[in-house]
Amino acid sequence: MKKFMLRRLGVAHEAGSLKPSLQDCIEAVLEQSDTLVNEVLNGLKASLTQTRSKSMQVIQNPAGKVAIEYLNAHADAFKETFAENLRTSLYGGDIHRAQTQPLRFDDFQFLEEEQIDANIEFALTQQEIAMAVDDVLPTLNALVSSLLGWLTVQPHLNPLKPESFVYALRESLQKHVPSDEARATLMTPAAGMLGIAMRQLYREVSEWLRSQGVEPVGPVQHQGGAQKPAENTVTRTLLTLDKLRRLLSGELDPGPLNGNIKDFTHTVPASFVALEDMKLMEPMMKRLAERASQSASPKTAAKGVGVVDPVVQRENSKSKKLGRELGEEVVRMMVENLALDHRLLAGVRKNLKLMEPVLITLSQSDARFFSERQHPARQFMDKITSRSLAFSSEDQPGFAHFQKTLENAVSVLASGPGDAATFSRVVRKLEEGWAKEEHEQRQRAEEAARGLLHAEQRNLLAQRLSADFSERLKNKKVPEIVSAFLLGPWAQVVAESQLLCADGAADTDGYLGLVDDLIWSVQLRLARRNRARLVDIVPGMLVKMRQGLSLISYPEERIPVFFDELITFHEQAFEGVRAAPAAETTDKAVVADISAVESVGLPVEEFWMADDEAAESGYLQDTHERIPEVEEDEVPDPAAQQAWSAQSLNTGSWVDLALGGVWVRAQLTWASPHKTLFMFISSGGMAHSMSRRTMDRLRGLGLIRMVSDGRVLDHALDAVARAALRNDVEKAAGGT
């Protein structure tokens, strides 16, 4: 394989005076898109002829041969399309690759056959490229993370990740090879050849970045071979994507042949719970069942409506048997995935394992367990697994009580009929118990959330006011300390006043009107022309400023610093008129010392809260925490660290926070509407809030780690879907 342009130009050996930016890196890669396509087209062309090389796949499909000849004949057009798609992918981010998101279990009942084929095709393509680049990708991830300014490796933020190239290849082939059959023949070998070319490109880019002074962040961990998904005891299954879709859509209903009468007690209105408590639910359900059975009476059958053909009956029976087998297999795989999830403590995993027989029995009588997220059994498993994440060790306060509650619930379910109604009763009792235990904690959290919401509104309004004040300050000779005061604390004061004004008035307290007076009073040439006005407004202005600053609990020790400087400026206005040179000197002298400016103003980029507000919500600002040492088996799932950010974090997520040199497990219970503030609750009901900027900084320092987004059960079921996909991929790969 010929050398890439990076090496041919020699830039990999000639360090420049400036380090390359991320854009420089992306543009350097885009320049190699034609070279990548040449490698793919040459490889496809070679695959048309017989070869002894085991690594070269011989394409014998006539449609595939025609497509390869077409691509080589129109190579320039294909290169142009690939370059456009690659640029879109590298700069556009994940919004251009929504179709490449991992499969979700609950989506299968809505998938068409074409979508299933597309998922298999994408998985095959991604697998081929991942196998080729897995030994060089970690180094590139570490270097690009350095370019992005991170202190830890963030693989998912690397725009040069393999998924970007997979997207470009698939989109380009889809445009130039419209035939599904031909494209399916080409996709896997084309991906393999692209992967080989990408491996060389990744190595060249990494060498180039190192030579330009870019250092990787953190230790580079080489994978040493293609990464395989974690194996479990039921990895080899009969499950495929199509069978899973049929199961979830009800086509393979594993329920008994009972005239399609289903238990729908968990879907009745909440008011019917009273009927259940009064022992009236069962008679009502019995009457509904009798009415349904009357619709399939012998009279109806005599008219030919209820007559079932023996062949159809055998097919239905066969379908039901397959449905029961698949249902049992899905349950076993789901429970096995939960048992392998070490974020759940051993006692929790043991009890979940005990649930397997109950869930298998339920799945054979009620297929809605798979297709309905709100099924009581799904809710039970979801609430238990999510809540258990609050505990990172069994000796934590509260875990023993939680474990006992879980054991009692499992015992009730195991000894009962295990139907939806029983699960519904158990979930209701668990929630009632938790609500009583956490009543005071929830009240404190709600009060803190209200305070944070008010703070967000004030800060957003203060930003707009600060922009308005900046316009008023343009082209005016105003001391820097006064500008800092107006754009920082006083913008907060005016914003707070407007938020507290119930009648909607813009300036009831006159804080907004003070802005122009303050700006005028520190412009010496203007103030000297009208000393009478200065004498008239200054006393009231100082009183009003002190009142306003107390409104936002502005630190008392900062106020004299600003007032002393302000009085100095006003005193200069009463001095006699001096010669022009002296006046110029005076104007320059009004620029305050930088330390005074910093002591008065507020950081424009940072979210600001008063001390009392911060105390009530556990607000975290600048931190100098060290990263606590942890045992290897305590490190959260690396995959969970890759795909989250402050902007994408959802309520219910669990994180580990480094506080006081130890890791503290906390759950995100509230996020402000604009996602600028977040509040976590740790054990004992302690609140920990922070701004988005602070969270990003903590994440970059490795002081906050994602444990789980709270959807433990959903991810266990999604793993079942991925197992079905792997079976399809292995089958497709073996058949090519």
Side-chain angles (χ1 to χ4, degrees), residues 1 3-4 6-7 12 132-133 135-137 139-140 143 196-210:
M1 174 180 172
K3 298 298 182 184
F4 278 76
L6 286 176
R7 174 61 56 83
V133 303
D135 62 329
V136 295
L137 182 57
T139 300
L140 183 63
L143 289 164
I196 295 172
M198 285 172 56
R199 184 173 185 272
Q200 177 71 8
L201 178 61
Y202 278 3
R203 182 184 290 112
E204 297 284 356
V205 172
S206 297
E207 291 177 4
W208 172 58
L209 290 174
R210 282 182 180 274

Side-chain angles (χ1 to χ4, degrees), residues 1 90 96 305 407 446 477 639 651:
M1 174 180 172
L90 296 184
H96 295 284
V305 177
E407 290 173 354
E446 288 173 1
K477 290 186 177 181
T651 54

Side-chain angles (χ1 to χ4, degrees), residues 480-481 484 554 558 561 592-603:
E480 189 174 352
I481 193 171
Y554 186 73
R558 292 191 185 185
V561 176
D593 183 75
I594 293 299
S595 61
V597 173
E598 292 177 346
S599 67
V600 169
L602 299 175

Side-chain angles (χ1 to χ4, degrees), residues 313-551:
Q313 193 169 21
R314 282 196 299 274
E315 289 297 322
N316 288 340
S317 178
K318 184 178 179 181
S319 178
K320 298 287 185 184
K321 181 181 178 183
L322 177 60
R324 285 193 292 272
E325 291 175 350
L326 288 174
E328 179 175 343
E329 191 165 81
V330 169
V331 169
R332 290 188 186 280
M333 294 175 70
M334 177 195 73
V335 174
E336 185 73 14
N337 287 324
L338 292 173
L340 292 172
D341 191 338
H342 291 282
R343 294 172 300 181
L344 308 177
L345 297 179
V348 176
R349 299 200 303 270
K350 178 182 177 182
N351 277 279
L352 294 176
K353 192 70 176 174
L354 294 175
M355 288 295 300
E356 185 176 294
V358 181
L359 295 174
I360 289 176
T361 301
L362 175 70
S363 71
Q364 293 179 346
S365 61
D366 189 355
R368 292 167 307 149
F369 173 72
F370 302 121
S371 59
E372 296 183 10
R373 291 177 58 88
Q374 298 305 314
H375 191 283
R378 288 272 292 270
Q379 286 188 317
F380 171 79
M381 298 291 287
D382 185 56
K383 292 179 184 298
I384 286 295
T385 52
S386 178
R387 194 175 182 84
S388 70
L389 292 172
F391 308 100
S392 55
S393 65
E394 295 185 350
D395 58 358
Q396 277 188 261
F399 177 74
H401 177 66
F402 172 79
Q403 178 78 355
K404 185 64 177 176
T405 302
L406 174 58
E407 290 173 354
N408 292 339
V410 171
S411 176
V412 170
L413 292 168
S415 60
D419 56 1
T422 306
F423 273 97
S424 184
R425 284 194 294 270
V426 169
V427 169
R428 183 151 45 93
K429 289 181 179 179
L430 285 174
E431 290 181 329
E432 288 173 355
W434 292 336
K436 290 178 182 178
E437 295 170 7
E438 300 171 353
H439 177 67
E440 291 186 4
Q441 176 183 321
R442 289 183 179 180
Q443 280 189 323
R444 290 197 303 271
E446 288 173 1
E447 290 173 4
R450 282 194 291 270
L452 289 171
L453 180 60
H454 181 82
E456 181 192 51
Q457 292 173 336
R458 185 185 65 240
N459 273 270
L460 291 173
L461 180 54
Q463 288 176 11
R464 293 197 291 270
L465 289 167
S466 181
D468 174 55
F469 297 168
S470 293
E471 288 295 320
R472 300 190 192 192
L473 289 166
K474 275 186 178 180
N475 303 319
K476 293 182 175 68
K477 290 186 177 181
V478 174
E480 189 174 352
I481 193 171
V482 175
S483 298
F485 176 79
L486 286 173
L487 300 181
W490 201 249
Q492 295 280 341
V493 169
V494 177
E496 181 73 7
S497 173
Q498 292 183 354
L499 288 176
L500 294 178
C501 189
D503 61 3
D507 194 26
T508 302
D509 301 311
Y511 297 136
L512 182 60
L514 181 143
V515 174
D516 289 331
D517 286 343
L518 179 58
I519 293 174
W520 175 84
S521 73
V522 294
Q523 296 180 80
L524 297 185
R525 290 177 177 174
L526 294 178
R528 285 170 180 160
R529 294 173 188 171
N530 194 348
R531 292 187 179 93
R533 181 190 176 196
L534 188 63
V535 171
D536 185 50
I537 68 172
V538 165
M541 189 165 59
L542 294 177
V543 172
K544 193 177 293 292
M545 281 193 287
R546 184 173 287 278
Q547 291 175 343
L549 292 173
S550 67
L551 189 66

Side-chain angles (χ1 to χ4, degrees), residues 643-699:
W644 78 279
S645 64
Q647 190 63 30
S648 65
L649 202 61
N650 296 317
T651 54
S653 299
W654 290 93
V655 301
D656 281 340
L657 276 171
L659 297 173
V662 297
W663 287 112
V664 175
R665 180 67 54 83
Q667 185 179 35
L668 179 64
T669 58
W670 179 86
S672 65
H674 294 275
K675 286 286 184 85
T676 63
L677 276 177
F678 303 84
M679 184 172 70
F680 298 85
I681 300 294
S682 62
S683 59
M686 292 292 294
H688 312 278
S689 64
M690 65 187 74
S691 68
R692 180 168 60 203
R693 183 182 177 88
T694 296
M695 188 188 297
D696 286 338
R697 184 164 59 245
L698 292 178
R699 183 167 179 249

